[in-house]
Amino acid sequence: MLDLLRQGWDALASVPHLRLYLTLGWALYMLLLGGWIILQKREPVATVSWLLGLALLPYVGFLVYHVFGPQKIERQRLRRARVRGELPAQALAENEEVAELARMVRTATGLPMTTASDVRLLVDGAAKYDALIADIARAREHIHLEYYIWHPDGSGTALRDALVERARAGVKVRLLVDALGGARCQRFFASLVEAGGELAWFHPTRFGRIWQRPWTNLRNHRKIVVIDGRIGYTGGMNITDDQNDRLNAAAYRDLHLRVEGNLVRALQLVFVEDWAYATGERDFIGDVVRQTPLLPRGEVCAQVITSGPDTHWEAIHRAHVGAIHGARERVWLVTPYFVPGEAAMMSLTSAALAGLDVRLLVPRMSDSRLVTLAARSYFGPLLVAGVKVYEYGPRMLHTKALLVDQSTVLIGSANFDHRSFRLNFEVSVLFDDAQLGAALAQLIEVELASAPRVRQGRHRGLLGARLPEALARLMSPLL
């Protein structure tokens, strides 16, 4: 093989001045595209990763960057003007640190702190699907759903059929599915559309338009359901048998939220904005939000947080880092994908160095071997700083939750990694509630009982294959 490549290169080199032209072309390509990447002002490790990829893969690297490289999305900033201004701030967190976070989030996203009258933690898919289908059956006005992954399997079929039944009964059903995560369902929702439901795809592929960069790497990772403007669901679970423990003994271990109260108004707004972006139908946004009932003040202080490539503020990232920096007793983080940036990594190690109880719970083996290896490349500094690291198994852990001290809780769709903080459209909920904090602490303690603790000196090579720490860190911004 090497002989063939050498012969091919020699044949090309025999063409007069071809080698010079190729070298000049490569230099120009590196100068222009490399300069463009540097001007993006991303983290140094991310910039170096892309520059090395372009240099080591001449021309092919450009195609990779064209498809997967970072890019910003311009959307009409409706939330900045009319509609988000109509969401009243209904609560002020008693916790001073949470109140400061809430002010930052409102400035970055336009979404104020509000309240919820009921918050339920739904552990694993069976509990989530049972509650969701029961609530859908009682819907009378509308059902709005937004998901990253939807598979045409048992779980997907049961939920689709529940929506079809409501659509035939005259309930307005709108379903927004990420085009990549729902790629197996192109014809699966025909019965829903025939019944009167509406279907939209988020960021469908556009490879045929060579003048436009494809959206391959910018996905809608949000999971949102709003029923009659009164009941909302969000969290980490998609629609698939892989996350339904009743149908699959090896289903992911996961966590979802069912909420009632005025927090649902914010989830409603996030959905209708995403729907308008995906479909171009913008006239109804304000009407839908205004028609969502304003309910009496609830007992739980809560705030929806959004982030995505349509804004550079990275509100969910900032909320995580800010909450950890404000900790006084403990920081318990559960995430399936752990690829932190410098700020997130420093917040965890600083908390541990200050003597706080810092615990990190990750899956022993995620659904990506490369991501697992990349995550483990960060264990060394964490362990030295005093962070207690645990690996959950044998099931895949898919929970995304942060517990700080007694009452600060963050739960949503965002992983603790570059992709969720910068590339994906994500949604999380910030809570200030001691009762919810106690419930989450109890759940995490149960998970920790099934998760061996990682010790110093034993975090390398646990998969039977070693990846140098420097290489893993270099690749991590691209994951």
Side-chain angles (χ1 to χ4, degrees):
M1 183 65 180
L2 291 176
D3 290 339
L4 289 175
L5 291 174
R6 190 177 298 111
Q7 292 172 10
W9 175 252
D10 290 340
L12 288 174
S14 63
V15 179
H17 306 301
L18 180 60
R19 182 175 295 181
L20 174 61
Y21 295 150
L22 289 174
T23 302
L24 290 175
W26 178 83
L28 182 63
Y29 144 87
M30 283 299 301
L31 179 64
L32 295 177
L33 193 53
W36 170 257
I37 292 173
I38 292 172
L39 290 174
Q40 301 306 301
K41 299 179 181 179
R42 305 185 71 82
E43 283 190 351
V45 66
T47 300
V48 171
S49 299
W50 280 114
L51 289 176
L52 281 177
L54 294 174
L56 297 175
L57 296 171
Y59 309 111
V60 175
F62 170 77
L63 294 177
V64 174
Y65 183 82
H66 181 72
V67 175
F68 297 104
Q71 54 183 307
K72 292 295 183 182
I73 298 296
E74 293 296 330
R75 308 208 296 184
Q76 287 191 356
R77 308 289 183 174
L78 295 177
R79 62 172 178 268
R80 292 288 186 265
R82 251 180 319 109
V83 184
R84 292 200 178 188
E86 296 174 4
L87 292 178
Q90 197 186 33
L92 181 63
E94 296 181 3
N95 185 315
E96 183 177 343
E97 284 75 22
V98 177
E100 183 178 349
L101 284 178
R103 288 193 294 271
M104 179 275 293
V105 169
R106 180 167 191 176
T107 302
T109 68
L111 298 169
M113 176 70 79
T114 183
T115 63
S117 58
D118 182 66
V119 179
R120 303 181 196 176
L121 297 179
L122 302 176
V123 181
D124 286 343
K128 179 256 180 103
Y129 294 133
D130 287 351
L132 178 57
I133 290 177
D135 284 333
I136 286 174
R138 292 188 287 268
R140 293 296 177 265
E141 299 173 7
H142 66 261
I143 306 169
H144 293 159
L145 306 94
E146 178 174 348
Y147 276 98
Y148 171 53
I149 291 176
W150 194 306
H151 287 171
D153 50 21
S155 301
T157 300
L159 186 52
R160 180 205 60 185
D161 291 348
L163 295 174
V164 169
E165 189 278 327
R166 288 290 81 198
R168 288 174 177 164
V171 175
K172 189 65 176 179
V173 178
R174 293 186 177 98
L175 173 60
L176 176 61
V177 183
D178 184 87
L180 183 62
R184 295 165 54 184
C185 293
Q186 292 299 320
R187 299 182 181 179
F188 179 71
F189 297 114
S191 58
L192 176 61
V193 175
E194 292 171 359
E198 297 182 41
L199 172 67
W201 298 100
F202 194 96
H203 277 187
T205 57
R206 53 181 189 181
F207 287 108
R209 304 175 184 177
I210 59 175
W211 61 91
Q212 290 181 313
R213 294 182 63 188
W215 287 313
T216 307
N217 215 27
L218 305 178
R219 308 318 318 172
N220 185 352
H221 198 243
R222 294 168 180 163
K223 295 90 176 171
I224 296 174
V225 179
V226 176
I227 300 173
D228 291 344
R230 298 176 179 273
I231 299 173
Y233 286 80
T234 192
M237 295 186 205
N238 294 292
I239 308 300
T240 166
D241 287 349
D242 291 338
Q243 294 180 262
N244 189 340
D245 50 307
R246 180 173 290 119
L247 302 179
N248 184 355
Y252 294 176
R253 181 71 166 175
D254 213 336
L255 179 65
H256 217 73
L257 289 170
R258 181 191 183 277
V259 299
E260 295 184 32
N262 287 308
L263 183 67
V264 179
R265 289 169 60 88
L267 291 174
Q268 180 84 291
L269 177 58
V270 175
F271 170 84
V272 296
E273 287 180 349
D274 288 344
W275 180 268
Y277 170 65
T279 65
E281 301 173 12
R282 294 180 171 84
D283 293 340
F284 74 100
I285 294 181
D287 293 337
V288 170
V289 176
R290 283 187 285 270
Q291 290 169 7
T292 302
L294 181 62
L295 302 172
R297 177 189 172 100
E299 297 296 324
V300 180
C301 291
Q303 185 175 26
V304 170
I305 313 175
T306 57
S307 65
D310 57 338
T311 172
H312 62 275
W313 289 121
E314 299 181 19
I316 293 178
H317 189 185
R318 291 175 186 269
H320 278 84
V321 172
I324 294 170
H325 277 308
R328 296 293 180 267
E329 302 172 12
R330 68 180 174 188
V331 175
W332 290 5
L333 173 64
V334 186
T335 180
Y337 310 112
F338 181 76
V339 187
E342 292 181 11
M345 188 71 172
M346 186 168 288
S347 67
L348 289 171
T349 54
S350 295
L353 290 169
L356 278 62
D357 177 15
V358 183
R359 306 185 189 185
L360 170 64
L361 179 61
V362 296
R364 182 181 64 82
M365 176 69 75
S366 76
D367 53 0
S368 169
R369 185 183 184 91
L370 181 59
V371 173
T372 301
L373 288 167
R376 286 178 174 172
S377 74
Y378 292 88
F379 286 2
L382 293 173
L383 295 171
V384 171
V387 177
K388 304 178 185 72
V389 180
Y390 301 84
E391 291 186 315
Y392 181 89
R395 293 167 63 186
M396 162 67 180
L397 180 71
H398 202 249
T399 299
K400 311 145 197 319
L402 174 67
L403 172 63
V404 173
D405 296 339
Q406 304 302 315
S407 63
T408 305
V409 174
L410 260 172
I411 298 174
S413 66
N415 302 301
F416 204 80
D417 66 358
H418 290 272
R419 171 166 293 282
S420 280
F421 290 154
R422 291 179 172 170
L423 297 178
N424 288 340
F425 292 86
E426 303 279 5
V427 62
S428 294
V429 184
L430 171 66
F431 296 96
D432 180 23
D433 185 74
Q435 185 174 351
L436 182 62
L440 180 59
Q442 184 177 13
L443 174 61
I444 294 176
E445 287 173 344
V446 171
E447 314 290 38
L448 292 175
S450 303
R453 184 175 171 183
V454 178
R455 302 291 180 179
Q456 290 188 42
R458 299 184 61 190
H459 66 281
R460 299 174 187 268
L462 296 179
L463 293 179
R466 301 182 59 150
L467 186 68
E469 181 174 317
L471 178 59
R473 289 203 178 191
L474 195 61
M475 296 177 66
S476 63
L478 308 181
L479 298 174

